[in-house]
Amino acid sequence: MSSKPSVLILGGLTTAARALGQFLVPDDAEALVSHVRFVDKYSVAPPTTYLGPRFTALLKNSIVDYQQANLTKEGPVQKCFDPPEGIQPFSYIFDLTGQVHISRTSVDLHIEQTATPAFFIGREAAKRGVKAYVRITPPYYQTALEKTAHQESDVIKPSEPVGTWYHEALRILANFPDLNLVIIRHGLIYGPWVVSGIVTPLMLLGLVYKELDEEFKSLWSPYVRFNTIHVDDVAAACWTAAEWMAKTGRAEANKVAGENIYFANDKNKVANVQGVPDPKIELTAPLFNLIDDTDTTLQTFGSVLTQVFGIKTGFHGLLHNTLAQMKTEEALEEINETHIEAWTRILAKANPPLQRTPLNPYMEAYMLEKRSFAYNGAKIKKILNFQLKYPTFGPDTIKGVIDSFKEDGVWPNVQWN
Ligand SMILES: *[C@@H]1O[C@H](CO)[C@@H](O)[C@H](O)[C@H]1NC(C)=O
Ligand SMILES: *[C@@H]1O[C@H](CO)[C@@H](O)[C@H](O)[C@H]1NC(C)=O
């Protein structure tokens, strides 16, 4: 049997799972693992979500398999842990599951798609005694707007149902005492072939404002933090954390890097949710923030848009005044309409014209609300010796992302004269 681990990557097909797969089984070097299985709700043939060219190629590799499964149910979760014939049991689990959309506000939805899968997957992994269980979690907490970047030990309130149930999932997982759990709380993910999230739509606004020939004005102070992380660094950090956990074990890892995974939910809402530990139980698990070195703020975004697209950017503009007089929803509809019209023109005048692209610059209400993503990323470097490959969020990294879409023919090539 191979001495390399066999790994299971659950969920995350729209976020970091594809980059993680490419990191573990690179095009141009030896694979780090003996086998990798992806499991998510999407079909990959034909694809029901955007995959990008490299991942599509990766799926043809003989040490890779993909299972489409409903991870909100116990049966399919158990089944995906059974390795293919002749393959050793999965020893590293990368849990990238959960409902990431901030705009979905139904509590039941987040329970079903975030808390429940974490419980089933964590329980199965604990039962099978896996060597490492890496859970990634998004930055949806009410972080300080300007002054503080939060440490892992800070008690910060999760934001909205999305953040609340991701946080609850951490408690559910931390409550399995023998699970070799390590948690990575990442910044806003961007990178090649990543179409979801906040960074890519914001970047596309560069094209939109170029087309509109208008200054792009952000609503909030330039100092509000929108801390970022390149998807390839998320992949590398997942691997580093798994290797560390496999040789360290949960008990020792808790001593070195354990944090109090505090209760931050409504007691009435958790009472009947499967797997949720008693709010009074104190739970500890190793937790690491993961952001790049740029300490990205709205000003950084503005500056990147200026450098990449040549548009003017500013703060507290027209939008701000408009919003002050309107409800967010109404303002958003108006903004949306302007953006969609411009985007349609861009696709039509692109060379060649684009009929279909997974890219879209539509704003959701939460993007207009005052919020921040402010974290301190020192701990993972210190304890895991982790080194970022993309420490800088700037024009070069964003051009790299644009090139990935160009490679796949989904980026609108437009010349403005
Ligand atoms: C997955 O299972 C849940 C729970 O039974 C169900 O509500 C949901 O519709 C299923 N999803 C799909 C895509 O079949
Ligand atoms: C903005 O546009 C997108 C795409 O058409 C749509 O899904 C969304 O609901 C719109 N939001 C508002 C508030 O109109």
Side-chain angles (χ1 to χ4, degrees), residues 71 95 97-98 111-124 133 135 165 168-170 172-173 176 179:
L71 295 172
D95 174 3
T97 61
I111 292 173
E112 178 187 291
Q113 299 190 6
T114 302
T116 302
F119 173 60
F120 289 146
I121 299 165
R123 188 171 65 175
E124 191 63 25
Y133 188 105
R135 168 77 184 188
W165 290 96
E168 197 59 61
L170 301 185
I172 290 172
L173 292 169
F176 294 108
L179 182 64

Side-chain angles (χ1 to χ4, degrees), residues 72-391:
T72 70
K73 292 184 185 167
E74 189 171 15
V77 167
Q78 288 173 341
K79 225 172 104 205
C80 74
F81 274 79
D82 293 331
E85 196 138 327
I87 303 292
Q88 59 184 325
F90 297 111
S91 55
Y92 289 7
I93 312 300
F94 296 98
D95 174 3
L96 281 55
T97 61
Q99 168 56 255
V100 292
H101 293 285
I102 303 182
S103 55
R104 313 235 165 112
T105 51
S106 151
V107 167
D108 289 343
L109 181 86
H110 292 283
I111 292 173
E112 178 187 291
Q113 299 190 6
T114 302
T116 302
F119 173 60
F120 289 146
I121 299 165
R123 188 171 65 175
E124 191 63 25
K127 199 172 96 192
R128 297 190 184 226
V130 303
K131 288 200 179 118
Y133 188 105
V134 180
R135 168 77 184 188
I136 72 165
T137 202
Y140 304 148
Y141 289 81
Q142 295 175 13
T143 58
L145 278 173
E146 286 173 20
K147 290 208 180 80
T148 324
H150 292 282
Q151 314 266 0
E152 288 82 350
S153 55
D154 290 1
V155 176
I156 35 179
K157 204 170 169 313
S159 49
E160 287 115 349
V162 66
T164 303
W165 290 96
Y166 261 105
H167 186 84
E168 197 59 61
L170 301 185
R171 279 183 58 84
I172 290 172
L173 292 169
N175 194 35
F176 294 108
D178 301 325
L179 182 64
N180 286 320
L181 169 69
V182 44
I183 303 161
I184 293 175
R185 178 168 60 191
H186 57 78
L188 301 173
I189 293 180
Y190 75 98
W193 305 293
V194 176
V195 301
S196 64
I198 293 179
V199 180
T200 301
L202 274 179
M203 186 180 87
L204 296 174
L205 288 180
L207 283 177
V208 166
Y209 279 77
K210 184 95 182 167
E211 168 67 21
L212 292 171
D213 197 17
E214 275 176 32
E215 183 173 354
F216 175 66
K217 286 178 178 161
S218 158
L219 288 177
W220 312 115
S221 147
Y223 305 110
V224 169
R225 286 193 175 97
F226 262 46
N227 287 174
T228 43
I229 184 74
H230 193 285
V231 73
D232 290 352
D233 279 326
V234 177
C238 283
W239 175 249
T240 300
E243 290 274 89
W244 171 73
M245 177 51 79
K247 63 172 198 277
T248 309
R250 172 77 175 276
E252 179 61 21
N254 271 358
K255 278 188 213 148
V256 185
E259 303 290 350
N260 172 23
I261 312 296
Y262 49 87
F263 182 74
N265 209 331
D266 175 344
K267 283 190 183 119
N268 300 317
K269 288 195 179 136
V270 298
N272 297 315
V273 180
Q274 216 176 355
V276 173
D278 187 308
K280 291 194 288 290
I281 299 182
E282 289 246 350
L283 295 164
T284 303
L287 165 69
F288 298 97
N289 291 338
L290 179 67
I291 53 159
D292 58 39
D293 289 343
T294 301
D295 195 10
T296 304
T297 61
L298 290 179
Q299 177 138 41
T300 320
F301 267 99
S303 148
V304 168
L305 291 180
T306 300
Q307 291 176 73
V308 174
F309 299 102
I311 59 167
K312 281 203 188 123
T313 55
F315 291 89
H316 297 291
L318 178 79
L319 211 53
H320 192 255
N321 300 333
T322 315
L323 260 195
Q325 292 156 22
M326 285 196 219
K327 291 204 176 88
T328 310
E329 274 302 305
E330 288 168 23
L332 186 64
E333 262 170 48
E334 203 135 303
I335 296 166
N336 232 355
E337 214 165 286
T338 314
H339 289 180
I340 289 168
E341 280 170 20
W343 187 243
T344 309
R345 286 201 302 276
I346 290 169
L347 298 186
K349 75 194 225 188
N351 180 22
L354 275 186
Q355 240 103 60
R356 289 166 54 124
T357 170
L359 299 168
N360 77 61
Y362 309 140
M363 306 284 284
E364 294 194 63
Y366 71 86
M367 294 181 185
L368 298 182
E369 289 153 10
K370 195 164 191 175
R371 65 175 69 238
S372 73
F373 305 92
Y375 295 94
N376 179 307
K379 184 181 171 187
I380 194 167
K381 294 182 181 173
K382 190 163 159 246
I383 296 181
L384 302 191
N385 244 323
F386 180 68
Q387 286 180 350
L388 294 158
K389 191 171 168 201
Y390 297 95

